[in-house]
Amino acid sequence: MKASNNSVAVVAIGAALFASATAHAQTLEMTSVYPGTFPIIGEIGQEIGKRMELISGGELSLNFNEPGALVPAPEAWDAVSTGAVDAAWYSPGFAQGIIPSAAMFTSVPFGPEAPEYLAWYYHGGGQEIWDEISAGHNIKPILCSTIPPEASGWFREPIETLDDLKGKKMRFFGLGARVMEKLGVSAQTLPVGDTVPALELGTIDAAEISMPALDLALGMNNYAGHYYFPGWHQQTSLFSLLINLDVWNDLGERNQAIVNEVCRSAVAESIAWGEAIQFDALAQLQEQGVTLHTWSPEILEAMQTAWLEVVDELTEDADFARTWASYTEFRDNYEIWRELGYLR
């Protein structure tokens, strides 16, 4: 039976569309600063690429590479900036040594819970500021995950006064490290993978890593038995997908939209997931002999005072100053809603 002209045309158009899609398929190689086995922050890093490929019908792929497979974790920001890698699964706080304001887009000491933080980021000017700063480094950042409050430290013995902190060598991340230094701590920003061996070998005396579920998975309780709360330094932690700006611009509007929507979905999922797994982790840690502590009001007050001193120093940087101004103005305006709208 002879095919009709219409049938031939349909087949030809379909073949042309398939060939066009195949020709424009884009595969991005992504380095990660977090192992894929880490609860939430590693697992979502692996998952987002699969979702992008599914939604795009195979036109967009994002390959997750473990830390060090493409570049060493501390070099991820520069690697994306130069185009040595297409993308990175990242915490902006790791770029603090290059960009003083970067840590404001991961966590802020004595900062807000997730809804308020996200409100500032998405609708209060935070994203626009961070986009502009990152563009100067040829990077497009996309907020792509968040976790609940972290613990604020593992110690081998109880910390009862500020003097007990002085002289300790401690792994600490982000802006909180500057605060701890004000209190006499020798703060070191080690990669997560180097922290447990450092604590085990005694090259550091104490460490903060993350939320209880991740600290449990890492076995932090094998090397220190006193676990301190609240996580004043990271009440909320934001994680980002970094994409080389030239690569981002080449994605096209549709694939850019896919990336944005997958990441917004991951933000919502990570909030719920993070809140759901902490109490079981805390119960297991207690069963294994860990003592849970809360900081005294006096120590927390000293930490907050030290934080404001750090802010005064950092606002000498113009980008930090405008980020801080935007953030504090939003929080000041938000306060009436926080006080009236929520039970306390």
Side-chain angles (χ1 to χ4, degrees), residues 194-209:
D194 295 340
T195 300
V196 175
L199 192 60
E200 180 181 8
L201 294 172
T203 53
I204 57 175
D205 305 307
E208 68 81 32
I209 291 287

Side-chain angles (χ1 to χ4, degrees), residues 2-344:
K2 185 176 180 181
S4 69
N5 289 338
N6 285 343
S7 298
V8 172
V10 169
V11 171
I13 291 171
L17 289 172
F18 177 79
S20 175
T22 303
H24 290 90
Q26 294 166 297
T27 300
L28 277 57
E29 293 295 334
M30 180 178 74
T31 188
S32 177
V33 297
Y34 298 106
T37 55
F38 278 13
I40 304 180
I41 58 176
E43 292 171 297
I44 285 183
Q46 292 192 91
E47 183 65 24
I48 57 170
K50 299 173 186 176
R51 296 179 187 180
M52 291 176 194
E53 186 169 9
L54 178 63
I55 294 170
S56 71
E59 289 186 35
L60 177 63
S61 301
L62 179 68
N63 293 333
F64 179 95
N65 290 274
E66 295 286 346
L70 298 180
V71 295
E75 298 175 16
W77 177 272
D78 287 340
V80 176
S81 177
T82 62
V85 296
D86 299 316
W89 186 243
Y90 198 72
S91 290
F94 282 119
Q96 183 178 332
I98 305 166
I99 306 168
S101 58
M104 288 285 295
F105 302 95
T106 289
S107 59
V108 185
F110 299 94
E113 297 175 7
E116 184 180 351
Y117 204 176
L118 294 174
W120 169 69
Y121 185 86
Y122 283 130
H123 297 288
Q127 182 173 3
E128 289 80 5
I129 293 172
W130 186 224
D131 276 349
E132 185 179 332
I133 293 170
S134 298
H137 297 262
N138 201 37
I139 288 174
K140 168 64 178 178
I142 301 103
L143 175 58
C144 208
S145 186
T146 183
I147 60 170
E150 296 195 352
S152 59
W154 289 90
F155 297 86
R156 292 194 174 94
E157 61 280 318
I159 304 297
E160 297 176 352
T161 68
L162 287 170
D163 285 340
D164 293 335
L165 288 171
K166 292 178 180 177
K168 290 200 180 300
K169 294 175 288 184
M170 185 175 185
R171 188 273 184 188
F172 220 94
F173 177 76
L175 294 167
R178 297 279 297 263
V179 173
M180 296 302 281
E181 288 173 350
K182 294 274 184 189
L183 301 178
V185 173
S186 174
Q188 303 176 28
T189 305
L190 297 173
V192 173
D194 295 340
T195 300
V196 175
L199 192 60
E200 180 181 8
L201 294 172
T203 53
I204 57 175
D205 305 307
E208 68 81 32
I209 291 287
S210 188
M211 56 189 171
L214 179 51
D215 287 354
L216 173 64
L218 290 171
M220 295 291 289
N221 53 297
N222 293 322
Y223 311 107
H226 296 274
Y227 199 25
Y228 275 79
F229 295 87
W232 55 270
H233 64 303
Q234 289 184 244
Q235 282 288 283
T236 304
S237 301
L238 308 181
F239 300 85
S240 294
L241 168 62
L242 306 181
I243 300 180
N244 175 272
L245 192 56
D246 297 324
V247 172
W248 172 256
N249 291 334
D250 191 49
L251 287 182
E253 185 176 3
R254 180 172 179 271
N255 282 344
Q256 287 177 357
I258 288 171
V259 172
N260 280 324
E261 292 309 311
V262 165
C263 279
R264 285 191 179 232
S265 172
V267 168
E269 179 183 5
S270 60
I271 291 173
W273 188 357
E275 296 293 345
I277 62 176
Q278 303 313 320
F279 44 87
D280 282 344
L282 287 169
Q284 290 183 55
L285 289 168
Q286 286 182 292
E287 289 171 3
Q288 295 177 31
V290 171
T291 302
L292 306 181
H293 299 268
T294 56
W295 293 113
S296 70
E298 293 76 18
I299 291 179
L300 277 176
E301 183 179 354
M303 289 171 171
Q304 189 159 20
T305 299
W307 163 234
L308 294 177
E309 293 174 5
V310 171
V311 170
D312 285 342
E313 295 168 359
L314 289 173
T315 48
E316 295 178 3
D317 175 82
D319 283 334
F320 187 96
R322 67 177 174 136
T323 303
W324 181 252
S326 169
Y327 167 87
T328 52
E329 181 182 9
F330 185 88
R331 294 209 74 193
D332 288 345
N333 291 335
Y334 184 88
E335 185 175 4
I336 187 171
W337 171 238
R338 185 192 312 118
E339 295 300 321
L340 290 174
Y342 289 91
L343 291 169
R344 291 294 176 185

